[in-house]
Amino acid sequence: MRVEAVAGSIAEPDLAARLAAAAQEMGGARALVLNHGGPPVKPMMALTDEDWSGAFETMVVGPLRVMRALVPQMQAAAGGRVLAISSFTGG
C-alpha cells in the first residue's frame, strides 16, 4: 500500500482538486482522513461573524468539497472509507 500526503488547509478551495489528482495518480482514492479544527479559541459571545463564517468554511464546506472530489473515485473502486475528525472550541 502506498500513502501520499498533500499539504494544505481544508479551507483552501483548490485543495480538493489537488487531493483528487494525487489520488488518481496512485490509482484512485480508497480512504480519506479529514482532520480540522473549529473557530478561534475565545468565549463564544466574543466570536465575530467572520469567525463563525471561517469555522463553517473549515468544518462544513471544506470537507464537503474534498468528499465530492474523492468519493467518486471510491465508488469507481466499489468501496472506500471516509474518517472525519474535528473539534469545536468556544467558551
Side-chain angles (χ1 to χ4, degrees):
M1 176 194 323
R2 184 174 157 208
V3 176
E4 182 74 26
V6 176
S9 168
I10 197 148
E12 296 172 18
D14 72 326
L15 179 65
R18 290 189 293 124
L19 288 169
Q24 195 63 49
E25 285 180 21
M26 296 187 327
R30 301 294 185 276
L32 169 63
V33 177
L34 295 165
N35 183 21
H36 52 81
V41 178
K42 57 175 127 173
M44 185 179 75
M45 297 304 290
L47 291 168
T48 66
D49 288 351
E50 292 77 21
D51 293 333
W52 285 110
S53 294
F56 187 79
E57 184 74 20
T58 299
M59 298 179 74
V60 178
V61 178
L64 180 59
R65 281 187 198 117
V66 172
M67 286 187 285
R68 282 184 188 151
L70 292 176
V71 167
Q73 293 182 18
M74 294 178 198
Q75 290 171 322
R81 299 287 184 266
V82 176
L83 173 63
I85 306 165
S86 67
S87 68
F88 190 83
T89 55

